[in-house]
């Protein structure tokens, strides 16, 4: 086992020798196979890979939504593998924000009620200044009293982002946030995510299969067959595409392929 | 399409199971009821057959000694006896009194079901054989004596029947004991002393439902039962030479003159049973089946709800089928087929369950020998028992799924292509439905009010108000139920606001409950039906108790009364023997006694009546209504009857018990006043002394301690005073008996309704579980953003409690209203009805509902909390 160095205050989330196996015996599927990765604070990181690469699984484990088979996961300095379900739940409530592909808003609540839901569950007071700033930034001020059924896809996703940000979490995890949106709404959402990193100082880790979306990030981590297969810093759509292509021709575990500034 | 249907069924087996369970319960109820009715009928028929002993033939004779002699003289007839019975009032040596059915001693042991197990059969008119139970209750053994009290037959000439006088010791005109122990009472009854010569046993329990039977000579049986020996017609039991049945049958037909009058034992038994009213047993079965119908109605609601939710959840799959080429009709038939299969399977299971339960109950009852009559060992699975539940259950399920099946046809193919689950539109209902519901409810209500108004003592409308009330009540209930989808959701929302105030969990629960008004209304409606009926019965019973109690209070102003039974030579009532008052006061449960002097008086208008003189102070302490005592004063006569001519100035003169003035004193002026309550004419002892200075204390009014058991105290007093020439009567015992009967009936009715309530609670659990499945993604989202497992379960628990409570509270309100209306209709003709609220029962209902709501949420909650947040986030 790799020994764990003392936690780095600039690491928002990290994993060591992370393994996740589904099923048993001959039907067992190794979704993740010994993943070591760090995600920096205040950065917008994208996790990419072909379908079946285990990227969603990695995100679920990093966010404390699922339990590991072996290895460790840390959120900041907290080792998630030592926490029980109630502690994980509180951690998700206070320190993590989620944006899902299918928005996942509660249909019987208004937009505003959906946004303040995590605070409501925590019994915490709503910081109206922060809330107004969020809704302003996301352009939702005049839609707050509408129910999800009365909002467009893009607006719903923006409400979801506001919900993810309202607790000022350590990390925001986004799972294919543009998957159900048209290209314009998708671009809006991605730029909001980047703005929340640049202007509001948040950390965002996004899973995507879309190279254009990945290009909005500061760094792209490539995943293939449950293992880290590449790392692209300051990505562009072309460099990301090239990285993905390289994945397809690779066989077996690859070393770190750093396609860096030379590509640009 | 069938394969698709079966595949869908297999996939949703769990969700269908709860709905299926509702049908299982309903059909089990039906099957068990039919089996119980069959057992009752069989038992009744067997008992009637047993009363005919081992007779070969039964002759329905037109009566008379001549025909009996002819039958006896017929060739091959070995013995023939008329079936004679009489009811004897027996008093044991310690004063215990028992009423006993007595049969004539047969001339051949084949002609009776009774056998003598100890001693011998009675041969003389002053001998009797009694069942062991009776002997124990009377406290006497073989060789001892008991007293029989009977009334001589009075013929047209007005004198006692000659034969009765010839065989009985001469009745004394005065109330003194004759030389051989005969006593003639002032009311004309004769008391003889007879000796117990044997114990009569009934091995086939033929007479168990009559409380057993004793034996006496034919003459005694006739005398005690007040039957003339020539009374016609009578049934003759005939024993014939073995092997000559048909020949003797024809010979007897010749004697009697009609083929219809000579029957075999089984034929006669069936005839008697049907005449007796096997109808009674069938009416009982019909009533219980009515409850089963209510249970099935509730089950139908649960099924309809389940299928509605299932169709809603399968929208995408159904739309896919439409895309691929299934027609609307095929989709509809698919849903109906699923319902039919579910119904048939569940009904079969229900029928088996009901049969098993009935067999179990039968076996247990046989072991306990709980009933006096012998029960058959097994239940008979006849064709109706097997087929009726199956048919009914399947039919109910298919009918209940009609509306969801039609909803399935409205799925458009486009919905298969929608990427997301669109929340179902919570449409309320058409306008037509609203209009019909309002009309029915309003019309029924008006009818109900009319029925209540008609049920006053002034309007002698008989059974009409009751029929009108039932019809109107049912109509209004149907209207209210139909309109449930309009008025239930707003009330649920109101209740939800209260729950929402408790925090985020409450808010989630309240929001979830009002999301789908139709579904919430359907679930609450099922519970509403059961609760309304239960509360209605409870309220009715409570009102009945208080109304009947008031009735008795009106009739009897005291708890227990003791009086002397004899009249002295000077025509006055016998004085209360010394020591009686002390004995009574010594009995546990007696609070105090008041001395009463009964006088027979002749009033100024020529009527003879009995007045009771009681001291005003004593009366205030022993009479139940203190206002009555306050009305007592010297020179005042309290008159119970408002129409009496004695109200106002009148005179009273002492008289003997036959109405002739004794002339002891001149008539006394009194002022007649209408008594506030009670049915006794009361005066004060001072007035009584004026009327008749020689009047003595003849009895006691007894007041019971609060909380004393009236029946027990009455029996204690009777035992204490046994042997003394006094009688003891207790209206309190009558009230206690009334209450007991009402309580038992209520328990039975609520028990029968319990099945319907249970099914509706199943419906609540079903709705919760189906909603949970629907909301898996939402639950997962909530878990992801910070709702712990415990609070997710709490959310579901709050939802369950909310739905159940709303149904229970509304059902209670409706039940109270209907119960009052019903009681007012039934008891209104008796006089004033009091408004009674069965608080204890209401509390119980609410507790059960809340508890059930919580219980219903346990399994769905556990399932919801167990699913990992990840699993439900996957995009389909």
């Amino acid at each position: 086992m790799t020994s764990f160095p003392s936690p780095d205050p600039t690491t928002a989330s990290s994993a060591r020798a992370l393994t996740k196996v589904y099923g048993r015996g001959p039907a067992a599927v190794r979704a993740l196979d010994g993943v070591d990765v760090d995600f920096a604070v205040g950065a917008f990181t994208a996790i990419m890979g072909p379908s079946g690469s285990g990227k969603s699984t990695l995100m679920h484990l990093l966010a404390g939504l699922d339990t590991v088979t072996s290895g460790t996961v840390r959120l900041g300095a907290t080792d998630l593998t030592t926490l029980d379900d109630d502690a994980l739940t509180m951690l998700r409530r206070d320190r993590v924000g989620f944006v899902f592909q299918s928005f996942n808003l509660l249909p019987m609540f208004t937009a505003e009620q959906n946004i303040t839901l995590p605070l409501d569950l925590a019994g915490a007071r709503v910081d109206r200044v922060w809330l107004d700033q969020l809704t302003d930034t996301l352009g939702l001020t005049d839609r707050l009293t509408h129910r999800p059924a009365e909002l467009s896809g893009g607006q719903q996703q923006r409400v979801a982002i506001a919900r993810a940000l309202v607790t000022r979490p350590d990390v925001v995890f986004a799972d294919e946030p543009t998957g159900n949106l048209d290209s314009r709404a998708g671009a809006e959402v991605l730029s909001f995510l980047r703005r929340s990193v640049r202007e509001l100082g948040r950390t965002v880790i996004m899973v995507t299969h879309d190279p254009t979306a990945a290009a909005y990030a500061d760094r792209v981590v490539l995943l293939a067959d449950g293992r880290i297969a590449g790392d692209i810093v300051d990505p562009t759509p072309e460099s990301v595409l090239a990285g993905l292509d390289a994945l397809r021709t690779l066989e077996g575990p690859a070393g770190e392929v750093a396609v860096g500034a030379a590509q640009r | 399409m069938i394969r698709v249907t079966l595949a869908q069924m297999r996939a949703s087996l769990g969700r269908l199971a709860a709905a299926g369970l509702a049908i299982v319960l309903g059909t089990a109820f039906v099957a068990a009821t039919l089996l119980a009715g069959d057992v009752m009928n069989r038992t009744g028929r067997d008992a009637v057959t047993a009363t005919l002993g081992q007779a070969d033939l039964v002759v329905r004779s037109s009566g008379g000694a001549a025909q009996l002699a002819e039958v006896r003289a017929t060739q091959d007839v070995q013995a023939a006896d008329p079936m004679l019975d009489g009811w004897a009032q027996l008093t044991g040596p310690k004063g215990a009194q028992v009423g006993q059915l007595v049969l004539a001693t047969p001339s051949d042991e084949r002609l009776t079901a009774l056998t003598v197990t100890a001693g011998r059969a009675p041969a003389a008119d002053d001998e009797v054989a009694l069942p062991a139970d009776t002997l124990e209750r009377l406290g006497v053994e073989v060789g001892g004596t008991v007293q029989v009290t009977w009334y001589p037959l009075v013929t047209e000439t007005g004198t006692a029947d000659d034969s009765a006088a010839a065989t009985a010791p001469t009745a004394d005109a005065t109330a003194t004991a004759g030389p051989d122990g005969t006593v003639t009472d002032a009311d004309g009854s004769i008391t003889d002393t007879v000796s117990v010569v044997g114990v009569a046993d009934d091995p086939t329990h033929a007479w168990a439902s009559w409380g057993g039977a004793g034996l006496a000579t034919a003459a005694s049986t006739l005398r005690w039962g007040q039957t003339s020996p020539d009374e016609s017609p009578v049934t003759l039991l005939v024993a014939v030479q073995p092997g000559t049945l048909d020949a003797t049958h024809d010979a007897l037909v010749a004697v009697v003159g009609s083929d219809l009058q000579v029957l075999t034992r089984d034929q006669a038994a069936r005839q008697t049973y049907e005449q007796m009213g096997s109808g009674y047993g069938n009416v009982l079965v019909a009533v219980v089946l009515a409850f089963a119908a209510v249970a099935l109605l509730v089950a139908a609601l649960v099924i309809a709800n389940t299928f509605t939710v299932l169709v809603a959840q399968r929208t995408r799959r159904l739309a896919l089928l439409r895309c691929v080429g299934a027609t609307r009709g095929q989709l509809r038939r698919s849903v109906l087929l699923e319902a039919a299969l579910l119904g048939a399977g569940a009904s079969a299971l229900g029928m088996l369950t009901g049969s098993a339960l009935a067999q179990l109950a039968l076996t247990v009852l046989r072991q306990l020998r709980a009933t006096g009559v012998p029960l058959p060992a097994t239940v008979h699975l006849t064709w109706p028992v097997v087929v009726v539940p199956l048919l009914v259950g399947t039919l109910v399920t298919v009918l209940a799924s009609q509306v969801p099946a039609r909803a399935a046809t409205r799925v458009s193919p486009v919905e298969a292509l929608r990427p997301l689950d669109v929340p179902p539109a919570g449409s309320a209902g058409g306008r037509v439905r609203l209009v019909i519901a309002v009309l029915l409810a309003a019309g029924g209500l008006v009818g109900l009010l009319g029925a209540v108004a008609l049920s006053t003592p002034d309007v002698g409308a008989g059974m009409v108000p009751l029929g009108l009330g039932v019809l109107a009540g049912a109509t209004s209930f149907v209207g209210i139920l139909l309109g449930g989808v309009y008025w239930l959701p707003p009330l649920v929302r109101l209740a939800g606001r209260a729950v929402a105030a408790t925090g985020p969990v409450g808010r989630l629960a309240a929001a979830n409950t009002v999301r789908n008004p139709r579904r919430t209304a359907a679930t609450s409606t099922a519970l509403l039906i059961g609760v309304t009926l239960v509360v209605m019965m409870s309220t009715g019973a409570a009102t009945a108790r208080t109304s009947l109690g008031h009735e008795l209070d009106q009739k009897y102003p005291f708890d227990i009364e003791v009086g002397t039974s004899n009249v002295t030579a000077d025509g006055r009532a016998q004085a209360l023997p010394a020591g009686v008052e002390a004995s009574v006061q010594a009995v546990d449960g007696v609070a105090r006694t008041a001395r009463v002097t009964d006088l027979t008086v002749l009033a100024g208008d020529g009527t003879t009546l009995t007045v009771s003189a009681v001291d005003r102070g004593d009366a205030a302490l022993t009479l139940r209504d203190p206002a009555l005592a306050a009305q007592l004063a010297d020179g005042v006569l309290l008159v119970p009857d408002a129409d009496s001519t004695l109200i106002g100035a009148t005179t009273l003169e002492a008289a003997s018990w036959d109405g002739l003035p004794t002339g002891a004193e001149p008539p006394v002026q009194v002022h007649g006043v209408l008594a506030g309550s009670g049915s006794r004419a009361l005066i004060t002892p001072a007035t009584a002394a004026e009327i008749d200075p020689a009047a003595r204390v003849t009895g006691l009014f007894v007041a019971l301690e609060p909380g004393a058991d009236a029946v027990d105290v009455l029996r204690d007093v009777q035992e204490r005073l046994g042997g003394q020439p006094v009688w003891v009567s207790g209206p309190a015992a009558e009230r206690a008996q009334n209450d007991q009967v009402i309580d038992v009936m209520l328990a039975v009715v609520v028990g029968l309704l319990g099945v319907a309530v249970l099914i509706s609670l199943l419906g609540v659990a079903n709705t919760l579980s189906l909603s949970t499945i629907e909301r898996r993604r939402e639950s997962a989202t909530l878990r992801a953003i910070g709702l712990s497992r415990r609070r997710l379960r709490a959310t579901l628990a709050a939802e369950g409690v909310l739905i159940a409570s709303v149904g229970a509270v509304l059902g209670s309100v409706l039940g109270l209203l209907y119960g009052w209306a019903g009681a007012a209709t039934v008891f209104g003709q008796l006089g004033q009805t009091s408004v009674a609220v069965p608080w204890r029962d209401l509390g119980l209902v609410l507790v059960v509902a809340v508890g059930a709501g919580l219980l219903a949420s346990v399994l769905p909650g556990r399932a919801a909390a167990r699913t990992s947040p990840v699993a439900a986030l996957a995009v389909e």
Side-chain angles (χ1 to χ4, degrees), chain B residues 835-857:
Chain B
V835 157
V837 177
W839 291 112
R840 187 201 59 175
D841 295 337
L842 277 182
L844 261 165
V845 162
L846 283 172
V847 164
V848 167
V850 167
L854 278 172
L855 207 66
S857 74

Side-chain angles (χ1 to χ4, degrees), chain A residues 60 65-66 85-86 89 92-93 98 100-109 117-118 120-121 149 163 180, chain B residues 420 423 504 507-508 511-512 515 777-778 781-791 868-870 873 875:
Chain A
H60 293 157
L65 284 174
D66 204 354
D85 185 79
D86 275 349
T89 306
R92 290 199 299 269
R93 191 183 71 194
F98 288 101
F100 304 101
Q101 178 175 356
S102 38
F103 322 145
N104 283 341
L105 299 178
L106 295 186
M108 66 279 196
F109 286 151
L117 188 55
D120 201 17
L121 291 177
R163 177 179 72 191
N180 282 351
Chain B
L420 299 164
R507 245 180 307 233
L508 276 170
N512 278 327
R515 267 161 79 165
R777 173 162 291 152
E778 279 168 42
T781 307
L782 286 167
R783 291 270 294 126
I785 63 177
L787 186 70
S788 68
R789 280 203 182 114
R790 198 175 320 129
R791 286 168 82 178
S868 145
V870 166
L873 289 179
V875 180

Side-chain angles (χ1 to χ4, degrees), chain B residues 4 18 67 91 107 123 164 177 212 328 390 408 425 450 509 518 576 580 695 702 787:
Chain B
V4 174
Q67 196 166 74
T91 312
S107 57
R328 287 201 156 93
L390 265 172
R518 266 209 134 136
L576 193 68
V580 166
V702 181
L787 186 70

Side-chain angles (χ1 to χ4, degrees), chain B residues 374-434:
Chain B
L375 295 168
T378 57
V379 292
H380 276 180
L381 284 179
T382 55
W383 277 120
V385 171
V386 171
V387 168
V388 166
L390 265 172
L391 272 182
V392 165
T394 313
L395 203 65
V396 163
T397 317
V398 170
L399 282 176
S401 64
Q402 286 292 337
V403 170
R406 213 172 312 139
T409 65
R410 284 193 230 114
V411 169
S412 83
V414 144
E415 293 177 45
L417 305 172
R418 262 196 259 256
L420 299 164
D421 289 325
V422 178
S427 67
R431 187 142 318 162
V432 176
R433 182 167 165 160
L434 177 63

Side-chain angles (χ1 to χ4, degrees), chain B residues 306-329:
Chain B
T306 306
F307 272 91
T308 308
V309 175
L310 277 179
V311 166
Q313 288 174 352
R314 287 190 199 146
T315 306
R316 190 171 292 166
R317 233 173 300 156
L318 290 172
L320 190 63
L321 286 170
R322 294 272 287 124
C323 268
V324 160
T327 63
R328 287 201 156 93

Side-chain angles (χ1 to χ4, degrees), chain B residues 110-168:
Chain B
R110 279 177 289 176
L111 299 183
T112 183
L114 299 176
T115 60
V116 177
T117 51
R120 58 177 172 81
D125 286 340
D126 62 351
E127 295 177 349
V128 74
L130 295 171
D133 283 347
T134 310
L135 291 177
E136 206 180 303
R137 279 164 69 189
L138 292 173
V140 74
E141 302 199 358
V142 176
T145 59
V146 294
Q147 300 197 309
V148 180
T149 308
W150 52 282
Y151 291 83
L153 258 188
V154 179
T155 60
E156 279 90 47
T157 59
T159 57
D161 192 276
D162 276 349
S163 60
T167 48

